[in-house]
Amino acid sequence: MLQRYIRRGTSPITIRVIRFIATAILAAFALSRRTTAQTADAAILGLISDSAGRALSAAAVTAKNTATGVQWTVVTNASGRYAFVQLPLGGPYTVSVRRIGFRAESRSGYLLRLGSRSVVDFILQTVTTELPQVIVE
């Protein structure tokens, strides 16, 4: 295929050099597409479920860097999973979870290092809340 683009009368050495350069360029392009840049961040991820083992969707999960006071909040998906990606390194981080009908929980002391993935799963206990009686006259 490369031969039709090369003029007739070109030496075989030149053809080999052109093929080598073309192959090197294609290989460099293919390798650059597969490599990922190293980033200076980490992640906290996990699963939220109830005491029966069912995944809890729509639970609010908060990760707070206690050293800086900065916090992030995500909501669990339909399979009860959550993920905080690209969190700044350091910490310590506190992870807390809230959902209506369940007791709120939190855990702390997570230090994030370069590229670390901390898995923090929660099993929430149901709680019943009684509202005070309201009398309408």
Side-chain angles (χ1 to χ4, degrees), residues 2-3 5-22:
L2 191 59
Q3 297 244 348
Y5 295 109
I6 300 173
R7 291 184 314 197
R8 291 180 183 240
T10 306
S11 71
I13 295 173
T14 306
I15 293 173
R16 282 190 220 142
V17 169
I18 292 172
R19 282 186 181 159
F20 176 76
I21 291 171

Side-chain angles (χ1 to χ4, degrees), residues 9-48:
T10 306
S11 71
I13 295 173
T14 306
I15 293 173
R16 282 190 220 142
V17 169
I18 292 172
R19 282 186 181 159
F20 176 76
I21 291 171
T23 305
I25 290 171
L26 289 174
F29 178 72
L31 290 175
S32 69
R33 304 267 303 164
R34 290 186 177 194
T35 59
T36 57
Q38 186 174 3
T39 58
D41 57 15
I44 297 175
L45 47 103
L47 172 69
I48 310 298

Side-chain angles (χ1 to χ4, degrees), residues 56-122:
L56 294 177
S57 62
V61 185
T62 302
K64 181 178 182 179
N65 185 327
T66 55
T68 63
V70 178
Q71 66 183 22
W72 299 264
T73 302
V74 295
V75 177
T76 57
N77 63 15
S79 59
R81 299 211 174 270
Y82 72 93
F84 295 99
V85 294
Q86 297 183 343
L87 288 173
L89 302 178
Y93 279 87
T94 298
V95 181
S96 56
V97 61
R98 293 177 290 115
R99 187 168 191 271
I100 296 174
F102 294 88
R103 182 173 293 122
E105 287 192 34
S106 71
R107 297 190 187 139
S108 59
Y110 297 97
L111 294 172
L112 300 182
R113 291 176 175 51
L114 181 65
S116 69
R117 302 286 183 254
S118 297
V119 177
V120 184
D121 295 335
F122 287 93

